[in-house]
Amino acid sequence: MSGHSRAASPTFVQLFTPKLITVLREGYGGRDLRADAIAGLTVAVVALPLSMAIAIASGLSPERGLYTAIAGGFFVSFLGGSRFQIGGPAGAFIVLIASIVERHGYDGLALATIIAGLILIAVALLRLGTYIKYIPMPVTVGFTAGIAVIIAASQIRDVLGLDMAKEPSELLPKLEAIAGAISTINWQTLTITALALAIILVLRRYRPSWPGFLIAIAVTALICFAFHLDVATVTSRFGEIPRTLPAPSLPAFSIEKLQAVLPDAFAIALLGAIESLLSAVVADGMSGRRHRSNAELGAQGVANVASIVFGGMCVTGTIARTATNIRAGARGPISGIFHCGYLLLFLAVAAPLVGYIPLAALGAVLLIVSWNMAEKEEFWSLLRTSRGDAAVLLATFLLTIFVDLITGIAVGVVLGSLLFLHRMAESVEIQAGGLEDVADTADRTKYDAEAASERDVMVYRISGAFFFGATAHVLTALERIGSTPKLLILDFTDVPLIDTTAARSLHAFVKKLARSGANVYFAAARQNVRHELIAAGLKPPLMRYAASVESARKLYET
């Protein structure tokens, strides 16, 4: 047995215990409840305008954003694996949802979201949540920046008050249509947009703790009402906002519809998993706590199903609202539950007031959101870091803008993986000699020139992960041996892993040497490496294993 025992793997119950239970077990008192109530109100004030703006930008009515924040947000907090996560509609989903709604309508979106929720639950139960972290940073920065550009472009019509019969969904046709309608700018709308932006930016600069988004839409709504401005409002486009959550219902189901929306369901699940776990990681960094990724994904899955049942849309963890929650002094998930309660109360009491909100003000809110989403510093930093990272970043960014989000992510991940494999292959080394430098010892033998010039024994040390990407490099070095030695020792001391391709290539090389009469020993191969080598046919009598280079020499001489 080894000198130290490995930590026991966590049980199913430990992995999926909601953070709400953890917080209550730690001891939860009246002071904590007060702190969570205040933090929840702070988050609700931020979530209220954002939820409506995101729903409108997604091609849906504003109340669907509120339903999502209430029903979906509740389950994210109630069952989630992150202590401070706030769930709701996210800006990252706008492009994807708008595309689905345009092609399949709300029913198609609802079915795709329910399937996505079930996929997330399955991913959580299979404990695959930890694999999301392997998506390269240039991919996440690239698609997030691409989404930000599309969101900003989608708001030009509303912030300028353009008179357009139909707005194309694709970026270039959209910009062409906007250019054609630029003469129809509504100057009152543009003034409201400028005022909303000014309020948000001034408050962010001088009163960062104040709810800039909410104040901006309240002030502009009051001005539009008082002066009877000719500006599009929520009521003029969407009608009255309901005062309650709708009765629970499920979308119409058919095999044909399922087949049509299945790719979209996987897209929602992937984006939801990435966004929620990114948000959980940000919360960990701010709070010093650690989230349970699989519990979090399971909660996201349940939340997406619940959101649709109550008339909402896709839900995920939201970075900005989660960060606001932590800064507001939240103690745990109860603040997120309070945030849902406050939004429900607002819906019941003040829903008619929502109708007065100018769409230009909500557009201004989304312009700020898209600017903040773009991660500009990371974008420029990655462009300067290396050509490989820059290529992955730009491919993801441009494909997200000009093709679609999932193509951008898929190509980015493939390019990122190839870049990683190339770097890993470049790091693998093979050196003749095999033995490390050692200090002089009392029994050091005298230098033997005749033995040194003897080419009957050759030792090669391989260093690094020996996988298919490095196989050609290693075998090329081995092929340069020249005349076949009587004994070839391959030192595997620094090889942490080997894959089937590398093992089978070695098998072919060793067979060729054996036919020429050479004896081959593999020294110091780790158990997992030896297992792969043996599976490829590298075993006695073709070759032999030894504990070290020196023991291989001794075995050969005996």
Side-chain angles (χ1 to χ4, degrees), residues 292-329:
R292 302 184 185 107
S293 56
N294 291 300
E296 183 60 29
L297 289 185
Q300 297 288 339
V302 173
N304 272 284
V305 175
S307 176
I308 295 302
V309 167
F310 287 100
M313 53 198 261
C314 314
V315 61
T316 187
T318 54
I319 296 175
R321 276 159 272 174
T322 299
T324 300
N325 189 36
I326 296 170
R327 285 195 292 264

PDB file of all heavy atoms in Angstrom, residues 292-329:
ATOM      1  N   ARG A 292     -21.036  23.403  -5.839  1.00  0.00           N
ATOM      2  CA  ARG A 292     -21.118  21.995  -6.289  1.00  0.00           C
ATOM      3  C   ARG A 292     -21.670  22.022  -7.710  1.00  0.00           C
ATOM      4  O   ARG A 292     -22.856  22.274  -7.924  1.00  0.00           O
ATOM      5  CB  ARG A 292     -22.044  21.201  -5.370  1.00  0.00           C
ATOM      6  CG  ARG A 292     -21.626  21.211  -3.904  1.00  0.00           C
ATOM      7  CD  ARG A 292     -22.536  20.323  -3.060  1.00  0.00           C
ATOM      8  NE  ARG A 292     -22.197  20.447  -1.660  1.00  0.00           N
ATOM      9  CZ  ARG A 292     -22.942  21.092  -0.752  1.00  0.00           C
ATOM     10  NH1 ARG A 292     -24.086  21.639  -1.129  1.00  0.00           N
ATOM     11  NH2 ARG A 292     -22.562  21.160   0.500  1.00  0.00           N
ATOM     12  N   SER A 293     -20.795  21.757  -8.674  1.00  0.00           N
ATOM     13  CA  SER A 293     -21.175  21.963 -10.073  1.00  0.00           C
ATOM     14  C   SER A 293     -22.329  21.068 -10.506  1.00  0.00           C
ATOM     15  O   SER A 293     -23.229  21.515 -11.229  1.00  0.00           O
ATOM     16  CB  SER A 293     -19.959  21.766 -10.985  1.00  0.00           C
ATOM     17  OG  SER A 293     -19.388  20.505 -10.794  1.00  0.00           O
ATOM     18  N   ASN A 294     -22.331  19.810 -10.084  1.00  0.00           N
ATOM     19  CA  ASN A 294     -23.398  18.910 -10.531  1.00  0.00           C
ATOM     20  C   ASN A 294     -24.734  19.253  -9.882  1.00  0.00           C
ATOM     21  O   ASN A 294     -25.783  19.189 -10.535  1.00  0.00           O
ATOM     22  CB  ASN A 294     -23.014  17.457 -10.251  1.00  0.00           C
ATOM     23  CG  ASN A 294     -21.872  16.994 -11.139  1.00  0.00           C
ATOM     24  OD1 ASN A 294     -21.980  17.004 -12.360  1.00  0.00           O
ATOM     25  ND2 ASN A 294     -20.749  16.623 -10.546  1.00  0.00           N
ATOM     26  N   ALA A 295     -24.704  19.650  -8.613  1.00  0.00           N
ATOM     27  CA  ALA A 295     -25.941  20.093  -7.955  1.00  0.00           C
ATOM     28  C   ALA A 295     -26.474  21.345  -8.631  1.00  0.00           C
ATOM     29  O   ALA A 295     -27.692  21.501  -8.822  1.00  0.00           O
ATOM     30  CB  ALA A 295     -25.680  20.359  -6.471  1.00  0.00           C
ATOM     31  N   GLU A 296     -25.559  22.238  -9.020  1.00  0.00           N
ATOM     32  CA  GLU A 296     -25.964  23.475  -9.687  1.00  0.00           C
ATOM     33  C   GLU A 296     -26.620  23.182 -11.033  1.00  0.00           C
ATOM     34  O   GLU A 296     -27.660  23.756 -11.369  1.00  0.00           O
ATOM     35  CB  GLU A 296     -24.745  24.385  -9.882  1.00  0.00           C
ATOM     36  CG  GLU A 296     -25.056  25.729 -10.488  1.00  0.00           C
ATOM     37  CD  GLU A 296     -26.019  26.547  -9.652  1.00  0.00           C
ATOM     38  OE1 GLU A 296     -26.050  26.394  -8.409  1.00  0.00           O
ATOM     39  OE2 GLU A 296     -26.787  27.320 -10.248  1.00  0.00           O
ATOM     40  N   LEU A 297     -26.042  22.268 -11.816  1.00  0.00           N
ATOM     41  CA  LEU A 297     -26.629  21.937 -13.123  1.00  0.00           C
ATOM     42  C   LEU A 297     -27.976  21.244 -12.965  1.00  0.00           C
ATOM     43  O   LEU A 297     -28.895  21.481 -13.754  1.00  0.00           O
ATOM     44  CB  LEU A 297     -25.668  21.054 -13.919  1.00  0.00           C
ATOM     45  CG  LEU A 297     -24.405  21.740 -14.444  1.00  0.00           C
ATOM     46  CD1 LEU A 297     -23.610  20.781 -15.319  1.00  0.00           C
ATOM     47  CD2 LEU A 297     -24.737  22.988 -15.237  1.00  0.00           C
ATOM     48  N   GLY A 298     -28.103  20.392 -11.956  1.00  0.00           N
ATOM     49  CA  GLY A 298     -29.393  19.741 -11.697  1.00  0.00           C
ATOM     50  C   GLY A 298     -30.466  20.768 -11.377  1.00  0.00           C
ATOM     51  O   GLY A 298     -31.602  20.689 -11.882  1.00  0.00           O
ATOM     52  N   ALA A 299     -30.105  21.758 -10.553  1.00  0.00           N
ATOM     53  CA  ALA A 299     -31.058  22.816 -10.206  1.00  0.00           C
ATOM     54  C   ALA A 299     -31.415  23.651 -11.431  1.00  0.00           C
ATOM     55  O   ALA A 299     -32.583  24.031 -11.622  1.00  0.00           O
ATOM     56  CB  ALA A 299     -30.453  23.716  -9.131  1.00  0.00           C
ATOM     57  N   GLN A 300     -30.426  23.925 -12.294  1.00  0.00           N
ATOM     58  CA  GLN A 300     -30.701  24.664 -13.527  1.00  0.00           C
ATOM     59  C   GLN A 300     -31.680  23.895 -14.410  1.00  0.00           C
ATOM     60  O   GLN A 300     -32.553  24.489 -15.053  1.00  0.00           O
ATOM     61  CB  GLN A 300     -29.396  24.925 -14.295  1.00  0.00           C
ATOM     62  CG  GLN A 300     -28.385  25.796 -13.581  1.00  0.00           C
ATOM     63  CD  GLN A 300     -28.777  27.246 -13.520  1.00  0.00           C
ATOM     64  OE1 GLN A 300     -29.596  27.699 -14.308  1.00  0.00           O
ATOM     65  NE2 GLN A 300     -28.210  27.972 -12.578  1.00  0.00           N
ATOM     66  N   GLY A 301     -31.529  22.577 -14.451  1.00  0.00           N
ATOM     67  CA  GLY A 301     -32.439  21.751 -15.235  1.00  0.00           C
ATOM     68  C   GLY A 301     -33.866  21.840 -14.728  1.00  0.00           C
ATOM     69  O   GLY A 301     -34.813  22.065 -15.503  1.00  0.00           O
ATOM     70  N   VAL A 302     -34.048  21.692 -13.406  1.00  0.00           N
ATOM     71  CA  VAL A 302     -35.381  21.798 -12.803  1.00  0.00           C
ATOM     72  C   VAL A 302     -35.953  23.196 -13.032  1.00  0.00           C
ATOM     73  O   VAL A 302     -37.133  23.357 -13.360  1.00  0.00           O
ATOM     74  CB  VAL A 302     -35.313  21.481 -11.291  1.00  0.00           C
ATOM     75  CG1 VAL A 302     -36.659  21.754 -10.623  1.00  0.00           C
ATOM     76  CG2 VAL A 302     -34.888  20.030 -11.062  1.00  0.00           C
ATOM     77  N   ALA A 303     -35.088  24.222 -12.884  1.00  0.00           N
ATOM     78  CA  ALA A 303     -35.534  25.609 -13.038  1.00  0.00           C
ATOM     79  C   ALA A 303     -36.021  25.889 -14.456  1.00  0.00           C
ATOM     80  O   ALA A 303     -37.010  26.611 -14.643  1.00  0.00           O
ATOM     81  CB  ALA A 303     -34.388  26.555 -12.673  1.00  0.00           C
ATOM     82  N   ASN A 304     -35.360  25.335 -15.454  1.00  0.00           N
ATOM     83  CA  ASN A 304     -35.794  25.551 -16.837  1.00  0.00           C
ATOM     84  C   ASN A 304     -37.157  24.933 -17.100  1.00  0.00           C
ATOM     85  O   ASN A 304     -37.997  25.533 -17.779  1.00  0.00           O
ATOM     86  CB  ASN A 304     -34.744  25.000 -17.813  1.00  0.00           C
ATOM     87  CG  ASN A 304     -33.676  26.014 -18.154  1.00  0.00           C
ATOM     88  OD1 ASN A 304     -33.894  26.928 -18.926  1.00  0.00           O
ATOM     89  ND2 ASN A 304     -32.512  25.873 -17.544  1.00  0.00           N
ATOM     90  N   VAL A 305     -37.382  23.734 -16.567  1.00  0.00           N
ATOM     91  CA  VAL A 305     -38.695  23.100 -16.721  1.00  0.00           C
ATOM     92  C   VAL A 305     -39.765  23.938 -16.018  1.00  0.00           C
ATOM     93  O   VAL A 305     -40.834  24.229 -16.573  1.00  0.00           O
ATOM     94  CB  VAL A 305     -38.668  21.661 -16.171  1.00  0.00           C
ATOM     95  CG1 VAL A 305     -40.064  21.047 -16.211  1.00  0.00           C
ATOM     96  CG2 VAL A 305     -37.685  20.796 -16.965  1.00  0.00           C
ATOM     97  N   ALA A 306     -39.467  24.361 -14.768  1.00  0.00           N
ATOM     98  CA  ALA A 306     -40.433  25.147 -13.993  1.00  0.00           C
ATOM     99  C   ALA A 306     -40.733  26.477 -14.662  1.00  0.00           C
ATOM    100  O   ALA A 306     -41.887  26.943 -14.673  1.00  0.00           O
ATOM    101  CB  ALA A 306     -39.887  25.380 -12.585  1.00  0.00           C
ATOM    102  N   SER A 307     -39.709  27.095 -15.240  1.00  0.00           N
ATOM    103  CA  SER A 307     -39.894  28.382 -15.905  1.00  0.00           C
ATOM    104  C   SER A 307     -40.903  28.268 -17.048  1.00  0.00           C
ATOM    105  O   SER A 307     -41.789  29.117 -17.201  1.00  0.00           O
ATOM    106  CB  SER A 307     -38.550  28.887 -16.435  1.00  0.00           C
ATOM    107  OG  SER A 307     -38.708  30.089 -17.158  1.00  0.00           O
ATOM    108  N   ILE A 308     -40.799  27.210 -17.836  1.00  0.00           N
ATOM    109  CA  ILE A 308     -41.726  27.006 -18.958  1.00  0.00           C
ATOM    110  C   ILE A 308     -43.126  26.676 -18.459  1.00  0.00           C
ATOM    111  O   ILE A 308     -44.130  27.159 -19.002  1.00  0.00           O
ATOM    112  CB  ILE A 308     -41.198  25.891 -19.893  1.00  0.00           C
ATOM    113  CG1 ILE A 308     -39.891  26.328 -20.551  1.00  0.00           C
ATOM    114  CG2 ILE A 308     -42.236  25.518 -20.934  1.00  0.00           C
ATOM    115  CD1 ILE A 308     -39.971  27.602 -21.371  1.00  0.00           C
ATOM    116  N   VAL A 309     -43.202  25.865 -17.408  1.00  0.00           N
ATOM    117  CA  VAL A 309     -44.516  25.505 -16.851  1.00  0.00           C
ATOM    118  C   VAL A 309     -45.291  26.762 -16.440  1.00  0.00           C
ATOM    119  O   VAL A 309     -46.522  26.818 -16.561  1.00  0.00           O
ATOM    120  CB  VAL A 309     -44.323  24.548 -15.645  1.00  0.00           C
ATOM    121  CG1 VAL A 309     -45.624  24.402 -14.849  1.00  0.00           C
ATOM    122  CG2 VAL A 309     -43.864  23.179 -16.134  1.00  0.00           C
ATOM    123  N   PHE A 310     -44.559  27.793 -15.985  1.00  0.00           N
ATOM    124  CA  PHE A 310     -45.208  29.041 -15.570  1.00  0.00           C
ATOM    125  C   PHE A 310     -45.039  30.161 -16.607  1.00  0.00           C
ATOM    126  O   PHE A 310     -45.036  31.339 -16.258  1.00  0.00           O
ATOM    127  CB  PHE A 310     -44.664  29.482 -14.211  1.00  0.00           C
ATOM    128  CG  PHE A 310     -45.171  28.641 -13.075  1.00  0.00           C
ATOM    129  CD1 PHE A 310     -44.383  27.630 -12.542  1.00  0.00           C
ATOM    130  CD2 PHE A 310     -46.442  28.828 -12.558  1.00  0.00           C
ATOM    131  CE1 PHE A 310     -44.846  26.839 -11.500  1.00  0.00           C
ATOM    132  CE2 PHE A 310     -46.920  28.043 -11.519  1.00  0.00           C
ATOM    133  CZ  PHE A 310     -46.120  27.036 -10.985  1.00  0.00           C
ATOM    134  N   GLY A 311     -44.892  29.788 -17.885  1.00  0.00           N
ATOM    135  CA  GLY A 311     -44.949  30.769 -18.960  1.00  0.00           C
ATOM    136  C   GLY A 311     -43.685  31.565 -19.199  1.00  0.00           C
ATOM    137  O   GLY A 311     -43.727  32.599 -19.866  1.00  0.00           O
ATOM    138  N   GLY A 312     -42.544  31.090 -18.693  1.00  0.00           N
ATOM    139  CA  GLY A 312     -41.293  31.819 -18.840  1.00  0.00           C
ATOM    140  C   GLY A 312     -40.486  31.371 -20.042  1.00  0.00           C
ATOM    141  O   GLY A 312     -41.020  30.857 -21.032  1.00  0.00           O
ATOM    142  N   MET A 313     -39.166  31.560 -19.935  1.00  0.00           N
ATOM    143  CA  MET A 313     -38.239  31.222 -21.004  1.00  0.00           C
ATOM    144  C   MET A 313     -37.002  30.571 -20.374  1.00  0.00           C
ATOM    145  O   MET A 313     -37.037  30.159 -19.218  1.00  0.00           O
ATOM    146  CB  MET A 313     -37.865  32.478 -21.789  1.00  0.00           C
ATOM    147  CG  MET A 313     -37.365  33.612 -20.912  1.00  0.00           C
ATOM    148  SD  MET A 313     -37.400  35.233 -21.691  1.00  0.00           S
ATOM    149  CE  MET A 313     -35.689  35.377 -22.186  1.00  0.00           C
ATOM    150  N   CYS A 314     -35.915  30.460 -21.127  1.00  0.00           N
ATOM    151  CA  CYS A 314     -34.698  29.815 -20.609  1.00  0.00           C
ATOM    152  C   CYS A 314     -34.166  30.577 -19.399  1.00  0.00           C
ATOM    153  O   CYS A 314     -34.157  31.809 -19.379  1.00  0.00           O
ATOM    154  CB  CYS A 314     -33.606  29.784 -21.678  1.00  0.00           C
ATOM    155  SG  CYS A 314     -34.166  29.244 -23.291  1.00  0.00           S
ATOM    156  N   VAL A 315     -33.707  29.842 -18.409  1.00  0.00           N
ATOM    157  CA  VAL A 315     -33.160  30.444 -17.200  1.00  0.00           C
ATOM    158  C   VAL A 315     -31.740  29.920 -16.983  1.00  0.00           C
ATOM    159  O   VAL A 315     -31.430  28.782 -17.327  1.00  0.00           O
ATOM    160  CB  VAL A 315     -34.054  30.133 -15.968  1.00  0.00           C
ATOM    161  CG1 VAL A 315     -34.140  28.647 -15.710  1.00  0.00           C
ATOM    162  CG2 VAL A 315     -33.550  30.837 -14.721  1.00  0.00           C
ATOM    163  N   THR A 316     -30.888  30.766 -16.441  1.00  0.00           N
ATOM    164  CA  THR A 316     -29.530  30.332 -16.099  1.00  0.00           C
ATOM    165  C   THR A 316     -29.005  31.221 -14.976  1.00  0.00           C
ATOM    166  O   THR A 316     -29.674  32.183 -14.568  1.00  0.00           O
ATOM    167  CB  THR A 316     -28.593  30.413 -17.324  1.00  0.00           C
ATOM    168  OG1 THR A 316     -27.340  29.827 -16.995  1.00  0.00           O
ATOM    169  CG2 THR A 316     -28.361  31.853 -17.759  1.00  0.00           C
ATOM    170  N   GLY A 317     -27.828  30.905 -14.472  1.00  0.00           N
ATOM    171  CA  GLY A 317     -27.190  31.761 -13.485  1.00  0.00           C
ATOM    172  C   GLY A 317     -26.728  33.050 -14.156  1.00  0.00           C
ATOM    173  O   GLY A 317     -26.215  33.021 -15.271  1.00  0.00           O
ATOM    174  N   THR A 318     -26.942  34.173 -13.497  1.00  0.00           N
ATOM    175  CA  THR A 318     -26.625  35.471 -14.087  1.00  0.00           C
ATOM    176  C   THR A 318     -25.492  36.123 -13.297  1.00  0.00           C
ATOM    177  O   THR A 318     -25.621  36.350 -12.095  1.00  0.00           O
ATOM    178  CB  THR A 318     -27.860  36.380 -14.073  1.00  0.00           C
ATOM    179  OG1 THR A 318     -28.361  36.463 -12.739  1.00  0.00           O
ATOM    180  CG2 THR A 318     -28.952  35.814 -14.970  1.00  0.00           C
ATOM    181  N   ILE A 319     -24.395  36.425 -13.979  1.00  0.00           N
ATOM    182  CA  ILE A 319     -23.184  36.888 -13.298  1.00  0.00           C
ATOM    183  C   ILE A 319     -23.399  38.234 -12.602  1.00  0.00           C
ATOM    184  O   ILE A 319     -23.059  38.402 -11.430  1.00  0.00           O
ATOM    185  CB  ILE A 319     -22.008  36.980 -14.293  1.00  0.00           C
ATOM    186  CG1 ILE A 319     -21.664  35.577 -14.826  1.00  0.00           C
ATOM    187  CG2 ILE A 319     -20.786  37.614 -13.649  1.00  0.00           C
ATOM    188  CD1 ILE A 319     -20.611  35.545 -15.910  1.00  0.00           C
ATOM    189  N   ALA A 320     -23.984  39.210 -13.310  1.00  0.00           N
ATOM    190  CA  ALA A 320     -24.132  40.549 -12.740  1.00  0.00           C
ATOM    191  C   ALA A 320     -25.050  40.543 -11.515  1.00  0.00           C
ATOM    192  O   ALA A 320     -24.733  41.158 -10.486  1.00  0.00           O
ATOM    193  CB  ALA A 320     -24.667  41.504 -13.800  1.00  0.00           C
ATOM    194  N   ARG A 321     -26.185  39.835 -11.610  1.00  0.00           N
ATOM    195  CA  ARG A 321     -27.116  39.792 -10.476  1.00  0.00           C
ATOM    196  C   ARG A 321     -26.537  38.992  -9.313  1.00  0.00           C
ATOM    197  O   ARG A 321     -26.750  39.330  -8.147  1.00  0.00           O
ATOM    198  CB  ARG A 321     -28.461  39.206 -10.936  1.00  0.00           C
ATOM    199  CG  ARG A 321     -29.377  40.245 -11.572  1.00  0.00           C
ATOM    200  CD  ARG A 321     -30.439  39.639 -12.469  1.00  0.00           C
ATOM    201  NE  ARG A 321     -29.940  39.482 -13.836  1.00  0.00           N
ATOM    202  CZ  ARG A 321     -30.606  38.883 -14.803  1.00  0.00           C
ATOM    203  NH1 ARG A 321     -31.799  38.351 -14.554  1.00  0.00           N
ATOM    204  NH2 ARG A 321     -30.111  38.798 -16.014  1.00  0.00           N
ATOM    205  N   THR A 322     -25.781  37.941  -9.616  1.00  0.00           N
ATOM    206  CA  THR A 322     -25.130  37.167  -8.547  1.00  0.00           C
ATOM    207  C   THR A 322     -24.088  38.020  -7.826  1.00  0.00           C
ATOM    208  O   THR A 322     -23.993  37.994  -6.587  1.00  0.00           O
ATOM    209  CB  THR A 322     -24.475  35.900  -9.141  1.00  0.00           C
ATOM    210  OG1 THR A 322     -25.488  35.092  -9.754  1.00  0.00           O
ATOM    211  CG2 THR A 322     -23.771  35.088  -8.065  1.00  0.00           C
ATOM    212  N   ALA A 323     -23.300  38.772  -8.590  1.00  0.00           N
ATOM    213  CA  ALA A 323     -22.292  39.651  -7.982  1.00  0.00           C
ATOM    214  C   ALA A 323     -22.964  40.726  -7.131  1.00  0.00           C
ATOM    215  O   ALA A 323     -22.495  41.043  -6.026  1.00  0.00           O
ATOM    216  CB  ALA A 323     -21.441  40.291  -9.077  1.00  0.00           C
ATOM    217  N   THR A 324     -24.089  41.282  -7.609  1.00  0.00           N
ATOM    218  CA  THR A 324     -24.849  42.273  -6.831  1.00  0.00           C
ATOM    219  C   THR A 324     -25.327  41.662  -5.528  1.00  0.00           C
ATOM    220  O   THR A 324     -25.293  42.302  -4.466  1.00  0.00           O
ATOM    221  CB  THR A 324     -26.059  42.771  -7.653  1.00  0.00           C
ATOM    222  OG1 THR A 324     -25.586  43.363  -8.863  1.00  0.00           O
ATOM    223  CG2 THR A 324     -26.882  43.774  -6.872  1.00  0.00           C
ATOM    224  N   ASN A 325     -25.772  40.429  -5.578  1.00  0.00           N
ATOM    225  CA  ASN A 325     -26.255  39.709  -4.398  1.00  0.00           C
ATOM    226  C   ASN A 325     -25.167  39.608  -3.325  1.00  0.00           C
ATOM    227  O   ASN A 325     -25.406  39.867  -2.144  1.00  0.00           O
ATOM    228  CB  ASN A 325     -26.717  38.314  -4.832  1.00  0.00           C
ATOM    229  CG  ASN A 325     -27.445  37.555  -3.740  1.00  0.00           C
ATOM    230  OD1 ASN A 325     -28.186  38.145  -2.963  1.00  0.00           O
ATOM    231  ND2 ASN A 325     -27.231  36.254  -3.688  1.00  0.00           N
ATOM    232  N   ILE A 326     -23.959  39.252  -3.751  1.00  0.00           N
ATOM    233  CA  ILE A 326     -22.848  39.113  -2.803  1.00  0.00           C
ATOM    234  C   ILE A 326     -22.469  40.472  -2.226  1.00  0.00           C
ATOM    235  O   ILE A 326     -22.293  40.622  -1.003  1.00  0.00           O
ATOM    236  CB  ILE A 326     -21.631  38.458  -3.489  1.00  0.00           C
ATOM    237  CG1 ILE A 326     -21.973  37.031  -3.924  1.00  0.00           C
ATOM    238  CG2 ILE A 326     -20.414  38.458  -2.565  1.00  0.00           C
ATOM    239  CD1 ILE A 326     -20.934  36.388  -4.814  1.00  0.00           C
ATOM    240  N   ARG A 327     -22.356  41.482  -3.103  1.00  0.00           N
ATOM    241  CA  ARG A 327     -21.974  42.819  -2.632  1.00  0.00           C
ATOM    242  C   ARG A 327     -23.023  43.416  -1.696  1.00  0.00           C
ATOM    243  O   ARG A 327     -22.709  44.253  -0.840  1.00  0.00           O
ATOM    244  CB  ARG A 327     -21.744  43.753  -3.830  1.00  0.00           C
ATOM    245  CG  ARG A 327     -20.432  43.486  -4.567  1.00  0.00           C
ATOM    246  CD  ARG A 327     -20.069  44.640  -5.491  1.00  0.00           C
ATOM    247  NE  ARG A 327     -20.990  44.754  -6.599  1.00  0.00           N
ATOM    248  CZ  ARG A 327     -20.785  44.225  -7.808  1.00  0.00           C
ATOM    249  NH1 ARG A 327     -19.676  43.558  -8.050  1.00  0.00           N
ATOM    250  NH2 ARG A 327     -21.679  44.385  -8.765  1.00  0.00           N
ATOM    251  N   ALA A 328     -24.286  42.985  -1.849  1.00  0.00           N
ATOM    252  CA  ALA A 328     -25.361  43.504  -0.992  1.00  0.00           C
ATOM    253  C   ALA A 328     -25.379  42.833   0.380  1.00  0.00           C
ATOM    254  O   ALA A 328     -26.229  43.176   1.216  1.00  0.00           O
ATOM    255  CB  ALA A 328     -26.708  43.321  -1.686  1.00  0.00           C
ATOM    256  N   GLY A 329     -24.486  41.881   0.611  1.00  0.00           N
ATOM    257  CA  GLY A 329     -24.372  41.262   1.941  1.00  0.00           C
ATOM    258  C   GLY A 329     -25.200  40.019   2.153  1.00  0.00           C
ATOM    259  O   GLY A 329     -25.546  39.684   3.294  1.00  0.00           O
TER     260      GLY A 329
END
